[in-house]
């Protein structure tokens, strides 16, 4: 995460008129979108050249929590979310949920 932040800051300094790669991306989380929430990175581990980042979302006005796991792969100067395990959806990965949705709508 520190490397990704450093990469983003370097890009901003070198290209002040462009958006860095790590902003304005799609947001996938198992926290319901109608709830305001706080986000906390709970744990970062490396597994098979991939980082697993455990992120918890706490609803601001309710006693509600979701914990998701992001699977991030890295390249020379690239950090890419390969998959997300959505904790509040029976711990299903985003790819499986999308494949189910596509299969059900064909």
């Amino acid at each position: 995460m520190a490397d990704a932040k450093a990469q983003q800051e370097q890009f901003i300094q070198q290209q002040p008129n462009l958006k860095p790669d790590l902003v304005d991306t799609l947001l996938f989380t198992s926290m319901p979108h109608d709830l305001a929430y706080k986000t906390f990175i709970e744990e970062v581990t490396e597994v098979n050249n991939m980082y697993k980042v455990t992120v918890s979302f706490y609803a601001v006005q309710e006693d509600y929590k979701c914990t998701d796991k992001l699977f991030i792969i890295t390249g020379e100067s690239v950090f890419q979310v390969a998959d997300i395990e959505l904790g509040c959806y029976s711990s299903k990965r985003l790819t499986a949920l999308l494949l189910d949705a596509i299969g059900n709508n064909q």
Side-chain angles (χ1 to χ4, degrees), residues 2-3 5 7-8 10 12 18 20-22 24 35-38 45-46 48 52 58 60-62 77 79 81 93 96:
D3 289 345
K5 184 174 173 38
Q7 175 190 335
Q8 184 180 48
Q10 180 182 4
I12 291 168
L18 298 176
D21 291 338
L22 305 175
D24 289 345
L35 294 177
Y37 56 86
K38 296 178 186 177
T45 56
E46 187 175 0
N48 298 329
K52 180 173 77 171
Y58 296 85
V60 173
Q61 297 179 350
E62 296 181 30
S77 63
F79 293 83
V81 176
R93 289 196 179 187

PDB file of all heavy atoms in Angstrom, residues 2-3 5 7-8 10 12 18 20-22 24 35-38 45-46 48 52 58 60-62 77 79 81 93 96:
ATOM      1  N   ALA A   2       1.972   1.183   0.725  1.00  0.00           N
ATOM      2  CA  ALA A   2       2.890   2.325   0.754  1.00  0.00           C
ATOM      3  C   ALA A   2       3.513   2.552  -0.620  1.00  0.00           C
ATOM      4  O   ALA A   2       3.674   3.700  -1.062  1.00  0.00           O
ATOM      5  CB  ALA A   2       3.963   2.107   1.810  1.00  0.00           C
ATOM      6  N   ASP A   3       3.857   1.456  -1.314  1.00  0.00           N
ATOM      7  CA  ASP A   3       4.419   1.579  -2.659  1.00  0.00           C
ATOM      8  C   ASP A   3       3.407   2.195  -3.624  1.00  0.00           C
ATOM      9  O   ASP A   3       3.763   3.028  -4.458  1.00  0.00           O
ATOM     10  CB  ASP A   3       4.859   0.210  -3.185  1.00  0.00           C
ATOM     11  CG  ASP A   3       6.098  -0.325  -2.479  1.00  0.00           C
ATOM     12  OD1 ASP A   3       6.787   0.453  -1.789  1.00  0.00           O
ATOM     13  OD2 ASP A   3       6.355  -1.538  -2.610  1.00  0.00           O
ATOM     14  N   LYS A   5       0.951   4.224  -2.854  1.00  0.00           N
ATOM     15  CA  LYS A   5       0.810   5.646  -2.507  1.00  0.00           C
ATOM     16  C   LYS A   5       1.995   6.447  -3.034  1.00  0.00           C
ATOM     17  O   LYS A   5       1.824   7.539  -3.591  1.00  0.00           O
ATOM     18  CB  LYS A   5       0.686   5.796  -0.997  1.00  0.00           C
ATOM     19  CG  LYS A   5       0.434   7.227  -0.551  1.00  0.00           C
ATOM     20  CD  LYS A   5       0.178   7.253   0.943  1.00  0.00           C
ATOM     21  CE  LYS A   5       0.078   8.550   1.578  1.00  0.00           C
ATOM     22  NZ  LYS A   5      -0.442   9.672   1.226  1.00  0.00           N
ATOM     23  N   GLN A   7       3.886   5.682  -5.597  1.00  0.00           N
ATOM     24  CA  GLN A   7       3.748   5.727  -7.056  1.00  0.00           C
ATOM     25  C   GLN A   7       2.748   6.805  -7.464  1.00  0.00           C
ATOM     26  O   GLN A   7       2.980   7.571  -8.390  1.00  0.00           O
ATOM     27  CB  GLN A   7       3.303   4.370  -7.578  1.00  0.00           C
ATOM     28  CG  GLN A   7       3.026   4.357  -9.069  1.00  0.00           C
ATOM     29  CD  GLN A   7       2.358   3.065  -9.516  1.00  0.00           C
ATOM     30  OE1 GLN A   7       2.506   2.034  -8.879  1.00  0.00           O
ATOM     31  NE2 GLN A   7       1.625   3.120 -10.604  1.00  0.00           N
ATOM     32  N   GLN A   8       1.644   6.884  -6.757  1.00  0.00           N
ATOM     33  CA  GLN A   8       0.619   7.870  -7.065  1.00  0.00           C
ATOM     34  C   GLN A   8       1.166   9.289  -6.857  1.00  0.00           C
ATOM     35  O   GLN A   8       0.962  10.169  -7.694  1.00  0.00           O
ATOM     36  CB  GLN A   8      -0.616   7.629  -6.201  1.00  0.00           C
ATOM     37  CG  GLN A   8      -1.770   8.553  -6.539  1.00  0.00           C
ATOM     38  CD  GLN A   8      -2.971   8.297  -5.660  1.00  0.00           C
ATOM     39  OE1 GLN A   8      -2.829   8.210  -4.450  1.00  0.00           O
ATOM     40  NE2 GLN A   8      -4.124   8.182  -6.268  1.00  0.00           N
ATOM     41  N   GLN A  10       4.277  10.308  -6.942  1.00  0.00           N
ATOM     42  CA  GLN A  10       5.273  10.585  -7.972  1.00  0.00           C
ATOM     43  C   GLN A  10       4.597  10.959  -9.290  1.00  0.00           C
ATOM     44  O   GLN A  10       4.997  11.904  -9.957  1.00  0.00           O
ATOM     45  CB  GLN A  10       6.177   9.371  -8.170  1.00  0.00           C
ATOM     46  CG  GLN A  10       7.239   9.577  -9.235  1.00  0.00           C
ATOM     47  CD  GLN A  10       8.091   8.339  -9.457  1.00  0.00           C
ATOM     48  OE1 GLN A  10       7.851   7.287  -8.860  1.00  0.00           O
ATOM     49  NE2 GLN A  10       9.076   8.443 -10.308  1.00  0.00           N
ATOM     50  N   ILE A  12       1.657  12.302  -9.676  1.00  0.00           N
ATOM     51  CA  ILE A  12       1.044  13.628  -9.521  1.00  0.00           C
ATOM     52  C   ILE A  12       2.091  14.723  -9.700  1.00  0.00           C
ATOM     53  O   ILE A  12       1.835  15.751 -10.340  1.00  0.00           O
ATOM     54  CB  ILE A  12       0.345  13.737  -8.153  1.00  0.00           C
ATOM     55  CG1 ILE A  12      -0.895  12.830  -8.128  1.00  0.00           C
ATOM     56  CG2 ILE A  12      -0.048  15.180  -7.837  1.00  0.00           C
ATOM     57  CD1 ILE A  12      -1.496  12.641  -6.745  1.00  0.00           C
ATOM     58  N   LEU A  18      -2.853  15.524 -15.099  1.00  0.00           N
ATOM     59  CA  LEU A  18      -3.512  14.247 -15.364  1.00  0.00           C
ATOM     60  C   LEU A  18      -3.924  13.576 -14.063  1.00  0.00           C
ATOM     61  O   LEU A  18      -3.308  13.780 -13.023  1.00  0.00           O
ATOM     62  CB  LEU A  18      -2.571  13.310 -16.137  1.00  0.00           C
ATOM     63  CG  LEU A  18      -2.128  13.776 -17.518  1.00  0.00           C
ATOM     64  CD1 LEU A  18      -1.118  12.781 -18.094  1.00  0.00           C
ATOM     65  CD2 LEU A  18      -3.315  13.917 -18.445  1.00  0.00           C
ATOM     66  N   PRO A  20      -3.989  10.466 -11.657  1.00  0.00           N
ATOM     67  CA  PRO A  20      -3.193   9.241 -11.495  1.00  0.00           C
ATOM     68  C   PRO A  20      -4.053   7.998 -11.650  1.00  0.00           C
ATOM     69  O   PRO A  20      -5.274   8.043 -11.521  1.00  0.00           O
ATOM     70  CB  PRO A  20      -2.635   9.352 -10.079  1.00  0.00           C
ATOM     71  CG  PRO A  20      -3.359  10.460  -9.430  1.00  0.00           C
ATOM     72  CD  PRO A  20      -4.068  11.258 -10.461  1.00  0.00           C
ATOM     73  N   ASP A  21      -3.403   6.865 -11.914  1.00  0.00           N
ATOM     74  CA  ASP A  21      -4.102   5.598 -12.152  1.00  0.00           C
ATOM     75  C   ASP A  21      -4.967   5.161 -10.974  1.00  0.00           C
ATOM     76  O   ASP A  21      -5.936   4.455 -11.157  1.00  0.00           O
ATOM     77  CB  ASP A  21      -3.097   4.483 -12.443  1.00  0.00           C
ATOM     78  CG  ASP A  21      -2.403   4.680 -13.775  1.00  0.00           C
ATOM     79  OD1 ASP A  21      -2.960   5.382 -14.634  1.00  0.00           O
ATOM     80  OD2 ASP A  21      -1.305   4.133 -13.936  1.00  0.00           O
ATOM     81  N   LEU A  22      -4.603   5.534  -9.762  1.00  0.00           N
ATOM     82  CA  LEU A  22      -5.256   4.976  -8.588  1.00  0.00           C
ATOM     83  C   LEU A  22      -6.396   5.827  -8.048  1.00  0.00           C
ATOM     84  O   LEU A  22      -6.770   5.703  -6.892  1.00  0.00           O
ATOM     85  CB  LEU A  22      -4.200   4.749  -7.493  1.00  0.00           C
ATOM     86  CG  LEU A  22      -3.008   3.893  -7.936  1.00  0.00           C
ATOM     87  CD1 LEU A  22      -1.971   3.817  -6.841  1.00  0.00           C
ATOM     88  CD2 LEU A  22      -3.469   2.504  -8.320  1.00  0.00           C
ATOM     89  N   ASP A  24     -10.473   7.659  -8.868  1.00  0.00           N
ATOM     90  CA  ASP A  24     -11.700   7.627  -9.667  1.00  0.00           C
ATOM     91  C   ASP A  24     -11.944   6.275 -10.326  1.00  0.00           C
ATOM     92  O   ASP A  24     -12.345   6.181 -11.469  1.00  0.00           O
ATOM     93  CB  ASP A  24     -11.702   8.723 -10.742  1.00  0.00           C
ATOM     94  CG  ASP A  24     -11.872  10.102 -10.134  1.00  0.00           C
ATOM     95  OD1 ASP A  24     -12.271  10.177  -8.955  1.00  0.00           O
ATOM     96  OD2 ASP A  24     -11.618  11.094 -10.825  1.00  0.00           O
ATOM     97  N   LEU A  35     -25.701   3.448   2.967  1.00  0.00           N
ATOM     98  CA  LEU A  35     -25.155   3.715   4.291  1.00  0.00           C
ATOM     99  C   LEU A  35     -23.831   4.466   4.177  1.00  0.00           C
ATOM    100  O   LEU A  35     -22.960   4.082   3.407  1.00  0.00           O
ATOM    101  CB  LEU A  35     -24.899   2.408   5.059  1.00  0.00           C
ATOM    102  CG  LEU A  35     -26.102   1.572   5.446  1.00  0.00           C
ATOM    103  CD1 LEU A  35     -25.637   0.289   6.142  1.00  0.00           C
ATOM    104  CD2 LEU A  35     -27.024   2.352   6.373  1.00  0.00           C
ATOM    105  N   ALA A  36     -23.705   5.533   4.951  1.00  0.00           N
ATOM    106  CA  ALA A  36     -22.403   6.193   5.054  1.00  0.00           C
ATOM    107  C   ALA A  36     -21.527   5.306   5.932  1.00  0.00           C
ATOM    108  O   ALA A  36     -22.003   4.724   6.899  1.00  0.00           O
ATOM    109  CB  ALA A  36     -22.578   7.566   5.680  1.00  0.00           C
ATOM    110  N   TYR A  37     -20.263   5.204   5.603  1.00  0.00           N
ATOM    111  CA  TYR A  37     -19.418   4.290   6.360  1.00  0.00           C
ATOM    112  C   TYR A  37     -17.989   4.798   6.459  1.00  0.00           C
ATOM    113  O   TYR A  37     -17.558   5.660   5.697  1.00  0.00           O
ATOM    114  CB  TYR A  37     -19.428   2.891   5.747  1.00  0.00           C
ATOM    115  CG  TYR A  37     -19.033   2.843   4.290  1.00  0.00           C
ATOM    116  CD1 TYR A  37     -17.703   2.752   3.910  1.00  0.00           C
ATOM    117  CD2 TYR A  37     -19.994   2.868   3.291  1.00  0.00           C
ATOM    118  CE1 TYR A  37     -17.340   2.705   2.582  1.00  0.00           C
ATOM    119  CE2 TYR A  37     -19.639   2.818   1.959  1.00  0.00           C
ATOM    120  CZ  TYR A  37     -18.320   2.735   1.609  1.00  0.00           C
ATOM    121  OH  TYR A  37     -17.968   2.693   0.291  1.00  0.00           O
ATOM    122  N   LYS A  38     -17.276   4.241   7.420  1.00  0.00           N
ATOM    123  CA  LYS A  38     -15.848   4.472   7.586  1.00  0.00           C
ATOM    124  C   LYS A  38     -15.126   3.216   7.128  1.00  0.00           C
ATOM    125  O   LYS A  38     -15.618   2.109   7.309  1.00  0.00           O
ATOM    126  CB  LYS A  38     -15.511   4.733   9.057  1.00  0.00           C
ATOM    127  CG  LYS A  38     -16.137   5.991   9.609  1.00  0.00           C
ATOM    128  CD  LYS A  38     -15.771   6.134  11.074  1.00  0.00           C
ATOM    129  CE  LYS A  38     -16.501   7.308  11.692  1.00  0.00           C
ATOM    130  NZ  LYS A  38     -16.213   7.429  13.130  1.00  0.00           N
ATOM    131  N   THR A  45      -1.469  -9.111   3.743  1.00  0.00           N
ATOM    132  CA  THR A  45      -0.578 -10.267   3.700  1.00  0.00           C
ATOM    133  C   THR A  45      -0.221 -10.559   2.249  1.00  0.00           C
ATOM    134  O   THR A  45      -0.975 -10.225   1.333  1.00  0.00           O
ATOM    135  CB  THR A  45      -1.223 -11.525   4.322  1.00  0.00           C
ATOM    136  OG1 THR A  45      -2.462 -11.789   3.645  1.00  0.00           O
ATOM    137  CG2 THR A  45      -1.489 -11.345   5.797  1.00  0.00           C
ATOM    138  N   GLU A  46       0.930 -11.187   2.056  1.00  0.00           N
ATOM    139  CA  GLU A  46       1.344 -11.569   0.711  1.00  0.00           C
ATOM    140  C   GLU A  46       1.189 -13.073   0.557  1.00  0.00           C
ATOM    141  O   GLU A  46       1.664 -13.844   1.383  1.00  0.00           O
ATOM    142  CB  GLU A  46       2.795 -11.166   0.455  1.00  0.00           C
ATOM    143  CG  GLU A  46       3.208 -11.396  -0.978  1.00  0.00           C
ATOM    144  CD  GLU A  46       4.609 -10.893  -1.277  1.00  0.00           C
ATOM    145  OE1 GLU A  46       5.272 -10.361  -0.364  1.00  0.00           O
ATOM    146  OE2 GLU A  46       5.040 -11.059  -2.433  1.00  0.00           O
ATOM    147  N   ASN A  48       1.424 -15.995  -2.566  1.00  0.00           N
ATOM    148  CA  ASN A  48       1.704 -16.366  -3.965  1.00  0.00           C
ATOM    149  C   ASN A  48       1.871 -15.151  -4.879  1.00  0.00           C
ATOM    150  O   ASN A  48       1.222 -15.051  -5.915  1.00  0.00           O
ATOM    151  CB  ASN A  48       0.607 -17.283  -4.512  1.00  0.00           C
ATOM    152  CG  ASN A  48       0.523 -18.583  -3.760  1.00  0.00           C
ATOM    153  OD1 ASN A  48       1.521 -19.075  -3.258  1.00  0.00           O
ATOM    154  ND2 ASN A  48      -0.675 -19.130  -3.657  1.00  0.00           N
ATOM    155  N   LYS A  52      -3.138  -9.820  -0.237  1.00  0.00           N
ATOM    156  CA  LYS A  52      -4.518  -9.925   0.240  1.00  0.00           C
ATOM    157  C   LYS A  52      -4.690  -8.810   1.271  1.00  0.00           C
ATOM    158  O   LYS A  52      -4.001  -8.777   2.284  1.00  0.00           O
ATOM    159  CB  LYS A  52      -4.797 -11.286   0.856  1.00  0.00           C
ATOM    160  CG  LYS A  52      -6.237 -11.420   1.357  1.00  0.00           C
ATOM    161  CD  LYS A  52      -6.551 -12.835   1.817  1.00  0.00           C
ATOM    162  CE  LYS A  52      -5.947 -13.071   3.174  1.00  0.00           C
ATOM    163  NZ  LYS A  52      -6.370 -14.330   3.790  1.00  0.00           N
ATOM    164  N   TYR A  58     -17.421   0.114   8.413  1.00  0.00           N
ATOM    165  CA  TYR A  58     -18.304   0.273   9.573  1.00  0.00           C
ATOM    166  C   TYR A  58     -19.322   1.349   9.241  1.00  0.00           C
ATOM    167  O   TYR A  58     -18.960   2.472   8.879  1.00  0.00           O
ATOM    168  CB  TYR A  58     -17.512   0.703  10.816  1.00  0.00           C
ATOM    169  CG  TYR A  58     -16.521  -0.321  11.293  1.00  0.00           C
ATOM    170  CD1 TYR A  58     -15.242  -0.396  10.754  1.00  0.00           C
ATOM    171  CD2 TYR A  58     -16.870  -1.228  12.290  1.00  0.00           C
ATOM    172  CE1 TYR A  58     -14.332  -1.344  11.190  1.00  0.00           C
ATOM    173  CE2 TYR A  58     -15.956  -2.180  12.731  1.00  0.00           C
ATOM    174  CZ  TYR A  58     -14.699  -2.229  12.185  1.00  0.00           C
ATOM    175  OH  TYR A  58     -13.797  -3.169  12.620  1.00  0.00           O
ATOM    176  N   VAL A  60     -21.740   4.335   9.759  1.00  0.00           N
ATOM    177  CA  VAL A  60     -21.579   5.474  10.657  1.00  0.00           C
ATOM    178  C   VAL A  60     -22.717   5.534  11.667  1.00  0.00           C
ATOM    179  O   VAL A  60     -22.499   5.738  12.854  1.00  0.00           O
ATOM    180  CB  VAL A  60     -21.486   6.786   9.852  1.00  0.00           C
ATOM    181  CG1 VAL A  60     -21.496   7.991  10.767  1.00  0.00           C
ATOM    182  CG2 VAL A  60     -20.226   6.785   8.989  1.00  0.00           C
ATOM    183  N   GLN A  61     -23.953   5.330  11.234  1.00  0.00           N
ATOM    184  CA  GLN A  61     -25.094   5.532  12.118  1.00  0.00           C
ATOM    185  C   GLN A  61     -25.747   4.245  12.592  1.00  0.00           C
ATOM    186  O   GLN A  61     -26.736   4.285  13.299  1.00  0.00           O
ATOM    187  CB  GLN A  61     -26.135   6.416  11.428  1.00  0.00           C
ATOM    188  CG  GLN A  61     -25.592   7.804  11.147  1.00  0.00           C
ATOM    189  CD  GLN A  61     -26.603   8.675  10.448  1.00  0.00           C
ATOM    190  OE1 GLN A  61     -27.640   8.214  10.009  1.00  0.00           O
ATOM    191  NE2 GLN A  61     -26.300   9.956  10.346  1.00  0.00           N
ATOM    192  N   GLU A  62     -25.222   3.109  12.192  1.00  0.00           N
ATOM    193  CA  GLU A  62     -25.801   1.836  12.598  1.00  0.00           C
ATOM    194  C   GLU A  62     -24.702   0.905  13.084  1.00  0.00           C
ATOM    195  O   GLU A  62     -23.535   1.088  12.768  1.00  0.00           O
ATOM    196  CB  GLU A  62     -26.530   1.169  11.428  1.00  0.00           C
ATOM    197  CG  GLU A  62     -27.727   1.948  10.910  1.00  0.00           C
ATOM    198  CD  GLU A  62     -28.417   1.214   9.771  1.00  0.00           C
ATOM    199  OE1 GLU A  62     -28.380  -0.027   9.749  1.00  0.00           O
ATOM    200  OE2 GLU A  62     -28.985   1.890   8.912  1.00  0.00           O
ATOM    201  N   SER A  77       5.222  -1.294 -12.261  1.00  0.00           N
ATOM    202  CA  SER A  77       4.726  -0.060 -11.645  1.00  0.00           C
ATOM    203  C   SER A  77       3.198  -0.058 -11.618  1.00  0.00           C
ATOM    204  O   SER A  77       2.573   0.974 -11.696  1.00  0.00           O
ATOM    205  CB  SER A  77       5.241   1.160 -12.399  1.00  0.00           C
ATOM    206  OG  SER A  77       4.743   1.150 -13.718  1.00  0.00           O
ATOM    207  N   PHE A  79      -0.428  -1.628  -9.827  1.00  0.00           N
ATOM    208  CA  PHE A  79      -1.147  -2.296  -8.756  1.00  0.00           C
ATOM    209  C   PHE A  79      -2.564  -2.500  -9.278  1.00  0.00           C
ATOM    210  O   PHE A  79      -3.231  -1.542  -9.648  1.00  0.00           O
ATOM    211  CB  PHE A  79      -1.167  -1.444  -7.483  1.00  0.00           C
ATOM    212  CG  PHE A  79       0.185  -1.286  -6.866  1.00  0.00           C
ATOM    213  CD1 PHE A  79       1.059  -0.323  -7.322  1.00  0.00           C
ATOM    214  CD2 PHE A  79       0.582  -2.120  -5.837  1.00  0.00           C
ATOM    215  CE1 PHE A  79       2.312  -0.172  -6.768  1.00  0.00           C
ATOM    216  CE2 PHE A  79       1.846  -1.975  -5.267  1.00  0.00           C
ATOM    217  CZ  PHE A  79       2.707  -1.005  -5.729  1.00  0.00           C
ATOM    218  N   VAL A  81      -6.360  -4.591  -8.781  1.00  0.00           N
ATOM    219  CA  VAL A  81      -7.238  -5.447  -7.998  1.00  0.00           C
ATOM    220  C   VAL A  81      -7.681  -6.584  -8.905  1.00  0.00           C
ATOM    221  O   VAL A  81      -8.386  -6.375  -9.892  1.00  0.00           O
ATOM    222  CB  VAL A  81      -8.455  -4.669  -7.449  1.00  0.00           C
ATOM    223  CG1 VAL A  81      -9.403  -5.616  -6.715  1.00  0.00           C
ATOM    224  CG2 VAL A  81      -7.995  -3.551  -6.523  1.00  0.00           C
ATOM    225  N   ARG A  93     -16.679 -14.134  -4.066  1.00  0.00           N
ATOM    226  CA  ARG A  93     -15.824 -13.210  -4.804  1.00  0.00           C
ATOM    227  C   ARG A  93     -16.638 -12.493  -5.865  1.00  0.00           C
ATOM    228  O   ARG A  93     -17.600 -13.024  -6.401  1.00  0.00           O
ATOM    229  CB  ARG A  93     -14.662 -13.949  -5.444  1.00  0.00           C
ATOM    230  CG  ARG A  93     -13.665 -14.419  -4.406  1.00  0.00           C
ATOM    231  CD  ARG A  93     -12.373 -14.782  -5.038  1.00  0.00           C
ATOM    232  NE  ARG A  93     -11.423 -15.209  -4.017  1.00  0.00           N
ATOM    233  CZ  ARG A  93     -10.162 -15.459  -4.269  1.00  0.00           C
ATOM    234  NH1 ARG A  93      -9.701 -15.349  -5.486  1.00  0.00           N
ATOM    235  NH2 ARG A  93      -9.365 -15.831  -3.306  1.00  0.00           N
ATOM    236  N   ALA A  96     -17.263 -14.300  -9.100  1.00  0.00           N
ATOM    237  CA  ALA A  96     -18.314 -15.324  -9.036  1.00  0.00           C
ATOM    238  C   ALA A  96     -19.694 -14.683  -9.070  1.00  0.00           C
ATOM    239  O   ALA A  96     -20.604 -15.177  -9.756  1.00  0.00           O
ATOM    240  CB  ALA A  96     -18.161 -16.163  -7.768  1.00  0.00           C
TER     241      ALA A  96
END
